[in-house]
Amino acid sequence: MRLTEFWRRMDVTFGPSYSRSYARDQSLAALGSRTVEQALEDGDEAKAVWRAVVASTTVPPHER
């Protein structure tokens, strides 16, 4: 998954403004208690980060 697709899915799920806040502020256990931003900066694949987001939220099935 490309980063552009990752951010598109984040924007659809959380809204354009809140998606960035969520990525910056919410630590996820599935990411080793890191934020989405930290995981991406550490080089985690966008697809793996997206799966962690899906596991921790209620993402609509068509966006999974």
Side-chain angles (χ1 to χ4, degrees):
M1 171 186 298
R2 294 176 183 233
L3 280 176
T4 53
E5 177 61 14
F6 172 84
W7 287 113
R8 185 197 70 77
R9 290 181 185 202
M10 289 287 288
D11 289 348
V12 166
T13 302
F14 298 107
S17 298
Y18 184 65
S19 65
R20 304 302 170 154
S21 175
Y22 181 91
R24 182 181 55 248
D25 300 330
Q26 186 69 37
S27 295
L28 303 178
L31 296 175
S33 297
R34 295 176 296 162
T35 66
V36 167
E37 281 188 354
Q38 289 169 329
L40 293 172
E41 287 171 6
D42 289 347
D44 290 24
E45 292 185 18
K47 188 173 188 176
V49 176
W50 177 247
R51 287 181 179 153
V53 170
V54 167
S56 67
T57 60
T58 54
V59 174
H62 67 276
E63 285 295 327
R64 292 183 180 193

